[in-house]
Amino acid sequence: GEDVEQSLFLSVREGDSSVINCTYTDSSSTYLYWYKQEPGAGLQLLTYIFSNMDMKQDQRLTVLLNKKDKHLSLRIADTQTGDSAIYFCADSGTYKYIFGTGTRLKVLA
Amino acid sequence: SQTIHQWPATLVQPVGSPLSLECTVEGTSNPNLYWYRQAAGRGLQLLFYSVGIGQISSEVPQNLSASRPQDRQFILSSKKLLLSDSGFYLCACWPLGPNEKLFFGSGTQLSVL
């Protein structure tokens, strides 16, 4: 079945860039997504990319998609303490989204 | 605008007691609805999804069940809770439409003691 994998932890210094990586197995995905979860809260959609695109930029966020390798990444420029959260990548099939395990980003002041 | 109401925010229940978590959606019709569970320090596990009233698909065998008695109402239940049912339960909605994306409720933290 479909699978989405992420590394569990990432720690960066405030002001540095963060890069969160994800690999997926479903080659039929139309969109791939990044969600952010703050402590004790639900997930919020951060950004998404259409599968025929290589890159999407949205303010401090840059999404890169390597469809050949089924690799998705999220780059956060000028990372702030407010960016500390769990970041999930996801792909969507016909009826459901499949989420990765989430990457816990810790931003050090 | 589309919103999900999910309650309660926190719940502490003894082992063997029943469970009913409710989720209602506003601002959309005939959406796909989902229950996810997030165990402590772990990712999201899809438990159930529904593409219409009375239609429930189960993703994993477990002690829980789901029902969709109305178009915008999704209920997660158990007759007898287990310790392993503890976790953060999230209701999610995927509205119909070409540009619609999945969005989440605020979650219920369930502790089974």
Side-chain angles (χ1 to χ4, degrees), chain A residues 20-34:
Chain A
I20 303 171
N21 294 303
C22 170
T23 57
Y24 61 96
T25 58
D26 186 1
S27 58
S28 66
S29 302
T30 304
Y31 290 97
L32 292 134
Y33 309 84
W34 284 104

Side-chain angles (χ1 to χ4, degrees), chain A residues 2-4 6 8-9 11 13 15 22 26 30 35-36 39 46-47 65-68 76 85 90-91 97-98 105 108:
Chain A
E2 310 98 331
D3 194 22
V4 179
Q6 300 176 239
L8 292 179
F9 299 100
S11 183
R13 295 209 171 273
C22 170
D26 186 1
T30 304
Y35 281 79
K36 177 182 180 182
L46 261 186
T47 187
L65 175 60
N66 182 327
K67 203 170 179 184
K68 173 176 169 288
I76 305 174
D91 76 50
Y97 281 47
I98 303 298
L105 174 64
L108 306 171

Side-chain angles (χ1 to χ4, degrees), chain B residues 1 15 24 38-39 45-46 60 66-67 70 78 81 85-86 88 92-93 98 105 108:
Chain B
S1 64
V15 169
T24 59
Q38 185 178 22
Q45 180 185 34
L46 178 61
V60 292
S67 61
Q70 299 180 51
S78 173
L81 283 168
D85 292 324
S86 294
F88 191 53
C93 173
T108 295

Side-chain angles (χ1 to χ4, degrees), chain A residues 33 35 37 95-97 101, chain B residues 34 36 38 43 59 101-102:
Chain A
Y33 309 84
Y35 281 79
Q37 184 185 32
Y95 293 118
K96 56 190 177 182
Y97 281 47
T101 51
Chain B
Y34 304 82
Y36 286 88
Q38 185 178 22
E59 288 292 293
K101 306 294 182 281
L102 188 73

Side-chain angles (χ1 to χ4, degrees), chain B:
Chain B
S1 64
Q2 299 156 346
T3 55
I4 294 181
H5 300 282
Q6 190 180 342
W7 67 92
T10 58
L11 189 60
V12 180
Q13 292 282 99
V15 169
S17 63
L19 173 73
S20 181
L21 299 182
E22 188 165 341
C23 167
T24 59
V25 179
E26 291 180 0
T28 184
S29 295
N30 198 26
N32 290 350
L33 296 175
Y34 304 82
W35 280 110
Y36 286 88
R37 177 172 60 204
Q38 185 178 22
R42 300 183 65 180
L44 286 176
Q45 180 185 34
L46 178 61
L47 302 177
F48 301 95
Y49 69 92
S50 171
V51 300
I53 296 173
Q55 299 179 61
I56 307 295
S57 296
S58 175
E59 288 292 293
V60 292
Q62 58 205 318
N63 184 42
L64 302 168
S65 62
S67 61
R68 185 171 177 176
Q70 299 180 51
D71 181 45
R72 286 172 282 185
Q73 184 184 29
F74 203 26
I75 298 171
L76 184 70
S77 303
S78 173
K79 291 182 181 176
K80 286 186 179 181
L81 283 168
L82 306 172
L83 287 174
S84 57
D85 292 324
S86 294
F88 191 53
Y89 288 82
L90 287 157
C91 179
C93 173
W94 189 0
L96 287 182
N99 295 315
E100 297 290 354
K101 306 294 182 281
L102 188 73
F103 66 99
F104 285 82
S106 53
T108 295
Q109 182 65 54
L110 172 66
S111 299
V112 183
L113 306 176

Side-chain angles (χ1 to χ4, degrees), chain A residues 34-77:
Chain A
W34 284 104
Y35 281 79
K36 177 182 180 182
Q37 184 185 32
E38 302 199 5
L43 279 69
Q44 290 183 304
L45 179 64
L46 261 186
T47 187
Y48 60 94
I49 188 167
F50 190 48
S51 59
N52 70 352
M53 296 172 64
D54 297 324
M55 185 180 85
K56 179 181 179 181
Q57 188 148 5
D58 183 1
Q59 300 182 336
R60 291 192 297 123
L61 305 178
T62 304
V63 179
L64 295 178
L65 175 60
N66 182 327
K67 203 170 179 184
K68 173 176 169 288
D69 293 338
K70 296 180 186 173
H71 182 266
L72 181 72
S73 68
L74 174 70
R75 178 176 179 270
I76 305 174

